[in-house]
Amino acid sequence: MSNASTIVILTGAGISAESGVATFRAADGLWEGHRIEDVAAPEGFARNPALVHQFYNLRRGGLKTVQPNAAHEALARLQRDFPGEVVLITQNVDDLHERGGSSSVIHMHGELHKVRCTACTVVREWETDLDETMACEGCHTVGTLRPDIVWFGEVPYEMDTIESALTRAKLFVAIGTSGHVYPAAGFVRIAQMSGAVTVEVNNAETEVSFAFNKRMTGPATEQVPKLVDWMLSGKS
Ligand code: BV8
C-alpha cells in the first residue's frame, strides 16, 4: 500500500456489537415485535410517529451508556497513521467512530444525534428525546422534526462521494455488516470492478462473503487491530 493509495472502509452494526449496541439481524430484524423495515421507514413514521420517535429515543438515550471499542480505535489509528487516503463509511447511526477518535466519518444512513425539519430542512444536533409536539427552532413549525436517519426507501447520504472513493480504492474492507441492505451491500462489487483487493471482517459468513477476495473471521475487536497493523506495515 503506497502513500498514493486509497483504502475504503465500510462498517455495519457488528463493529459496535462488542460495545453493547444491538445489531439488526440478531433481533431477526425485529424491534419490540415491529419489523425494522416498518419502524425505519417513512410510511411507518407517517402511520405511527410516536412509535418511531420511541424507537429512536431509546437508541439515542442508549448511546450515553456505551463506549467505543478496540475496533473503532484501531480505525482511528489507521486514519491518523496511514500515509495515503482512508475513506471511512459507516451504516451505523451511533457516534462510536467519532468517540473512538475517527476524524472524518461518512454516515450514509444518518445519525442518532441529528434531527431534521421536514418543513425548512434544517438539520441540527440533538441529544435528548424527540416527539411530535416539539417545534422547529428555525421555522417554528410544530410536528415537523424527524430523526436525521435514512429510512428504507430513502436515498442514502453522500452517494457521489462514496462511489467516487470506491472507484479509487486499492483496498476495500467491510467490517461487521451482513450484506443485507443495499446499496451498501453492493459496494464490494464496485470496488472489485475498480481493481481493489476486498476483505470482509465478520464473526460469521454473510450474504455477500462470496464476493470478497479475503475473509477474516472473528470478533471485530480482535480482527480489526490485526488488519490495521497489516495495513500500516507497508506489506502489500
Ligand atoms: C435505497 C438507518 C434507492 C435506520 C438503515 C423496496 C422498496 C424500497 C427499497 C427497497 C426495496 N427492496 C429493497 C430495497 C432497497 C433497501 C434494502 O436494501 N432493503 C433490504 C431490507 C432488502 N434499501 C433502501 O431502501 C436504501 N435506499 O435503496 O434508495 C437508492 C439506491 C441506490 C442509490 C441511491 C438510491 C436505504 C437503506 C437504509 C435503511 N436504513 N439504517 C436505523 O438505523 O434505524 S439500514 C440498517 O440495517 C443499518 O443502517 C444497516 O445499513 C442495515 C444492515 O445492518 P448491518 O449494519 O449489516 O447489521 P446487521 O445486524 O444486518 O448485521 C450485523 C453483522 O455484524 C452480521 O453480519 C454479524 O455477523 C456481524 N457481527 C455481529 N457481531 C460482530 C460481528 N462482526 C464482527 N464482530 C462482532 N463482534
Side-chain angles (χ1 to χ4, degrees):
M1 301 298 294
S2 77
N3 58 8
S5 303
T6 295
I7 298 177
V8 176
I9 311 269
L10 170 70
T11 63
I15 199 170
S16 297
E18 290 162 270
S19 293
V21 179
T23 65
F24 288 83
R25 278 349 111 194
D28 295 330
L30 288 179
W31 173 74
E32 302 214 345
H34 301 277
R35 276 174 12 98
I36 296 273
E37 284 75 20
D38 293 340
V39 176
E43 302 78 13
F45 186 58
R47 197 168 41 245
N48 189 341
L51 175 74
V52 175
H53 279 308
Q54 185 198 9
F55 177 54
Y56 288 99
N57 289 342
L58 283 172
R59 290 168 68 195
R60 190 179 305 109
L63 289 184
K64 298 183 184 68
T65 64
V66 297
Q67 297 301 324
N69 62 50
H72 298 106
E73 289 159 359
L75 293 181
R77 177 162 57 93
L78 179 71
Q79 284 184 299
R80 195 182 54 239
D81 299 345
F82 183 66
E85 179 188 23
V86 178
V87 179
L88 175 56
I89 305 160
T90 188
Q91 301 171 86
N92 300 338
V93 294
D94 64 50
D95 59 350
L96 293 179
H97 279 300
E98 290 84 353
R99 288 166 55 198
S102 276
S103 43
S104 58
V105 184
I106 297 177
H107 281 274
M108 66 179 288
H109 290 159
E111 297 173 70
L112 281 170
H113 277 158
K114 288 194 175 140
V115 298
R116 173 160 51 86
C117 175
T118 55
C120 69
T121 75
V122 164
V123 173
R124 53 176 56 83
E125 293 292 319
W126 198 274
E127 310 284 327
T128 57
D129 285 358
L130 176 65
D131 67 46
E132 64 273 24
T133 65
M134 295 176 174
C136 170
E137 283 162 23
C139 66
H140 310 298
T141 325
V142 175
T144 53
L145 295 177
R146 60 164 275 184
D148 189 32
I149 298 272
V150 177
W151 284 331
F152 287 98
E154 297 185 325
V155 178
Y157 289 149
E158 303 203 51
M159 285 302 293
D160 292 346
T161 305
I162 291 170
E163 280 158 3
S164 155
L166 289 169
T167 57
R168 294 197 302 277
K170 287 281 181 294
L171 176 66
F172 173 78
V173 183
I175 302 168
T177 181
S178 60
H180 184 72
V181 171
Y182 285 82
F187 291 172
V188 57
R189 277 186 281 279
I190 301 173
Q192 201 105 48
M193 285 189 299
S194 308
V197 170
T198 55
V199 179
E200 182 182 59
V201 180
N202 203 301
N203 63 0
E205 187 158 359
T206 72
E207 297 175 42
V208 288
S209 292
F210 67 88
F212 287 84
N213 299 125
K214 182 177 163 52
R215 291 181 58 212
M216 295 175 74
T217 303
T221 53
E222 285 170 20
Q223 299 302 323
V224 178
K226 272 189 218 159
L227 181 62
V228 168
D229 289 344
W230 172 74
M231 291 194 267
L232 293 176
S233 71
K235 295 189 188 82
S236 55

